[in-house]
Amino acid sequence: MSTQRGLGSRRRLLLGLGAPLLLGAAGLGYAMWPEEENAEKARTDLAPLNRRFWTALGDVSDAHWLGYSIDEHESESNSARSVPSPDSRMRLVGVAHLKQGTANRIMSDPAHHFEVGPLVGPPAALKPYIPSSAGWKQSVTYDKVALEEGLDVIPSGTFRFDGIRDLVYFDYVFLYT
């Protein structure tokens, strides 16, 4: 009977020490676990957007956006190695507020015919910042003239505007040659 009593004490001691150690190790493992590889965090700095889009939009505020090299982004998702591209493709995608009345002023320009243009597949990191009830409108002609080609930049993409909230959603790819 005394051997059983000693065995029970040992079990309680091991359980008393082992459980906190096991919980601590599990917590440490969770804290050190790498984040999901494709989880991107939206940027909020305005200077790069205002430099890039100022002539088309004026100053923007309260922006949430992503900017990345498409070539690097694609190579990270593909395990096969490839020859690097001589050109660099940068994607800027996000949503921002415009100065009051800017969206309606842009959409009322008779040179551009704006039509309803819902967003299709915005990045997951931006979805919390995009109002689900926004009435997005786009114009193919506005997109063509808004960002004229520079000597070293060839843009393609789209702007979408919500006149009620003075919001702009932009999704542009710039090819640097």
Side-chain angles (χ1 to χ4, degrees), residues 128-151:
Y129 310 106
I130 300 172
S132 60
S133 61
W136 299 109
K137 292 186 177 182
Q138 71 178 39
S139 168
V140 174
T141 57
Y142 181 80
D143 292 339
K144 286 181 182 177
V145 299
L147 295 175
E148 296 177 3
E149 291 183 23
L151 295 175

Side-chain angles (χ1 to χ4, degrees), residues 52 86-90 92 152-154 173-177:
R52 173 62 60 196
D87 300 323
S88 177
R89 298 179 300 156
M90 296 297 294
L92 296 179
D152 60 345
V153 179
I154 303 169
V173 175
F174 297 93
L175 174 65
Y176 291 90
T177 57

Side-chain angles (χ1 to χ4, degrees), residues 53-75:
F53 297 133
W54 190 85
T55 57
L57 304 172
D59 287 328
V60 299
S61 64
D62 192 31
H64 294 88
W65 62 283
L66 303 171
Y68 55 87
S69 166
I70 292 177
D71 298 322
E72 289 176 14
H73 192 72
E74 288 175 353
S75 68

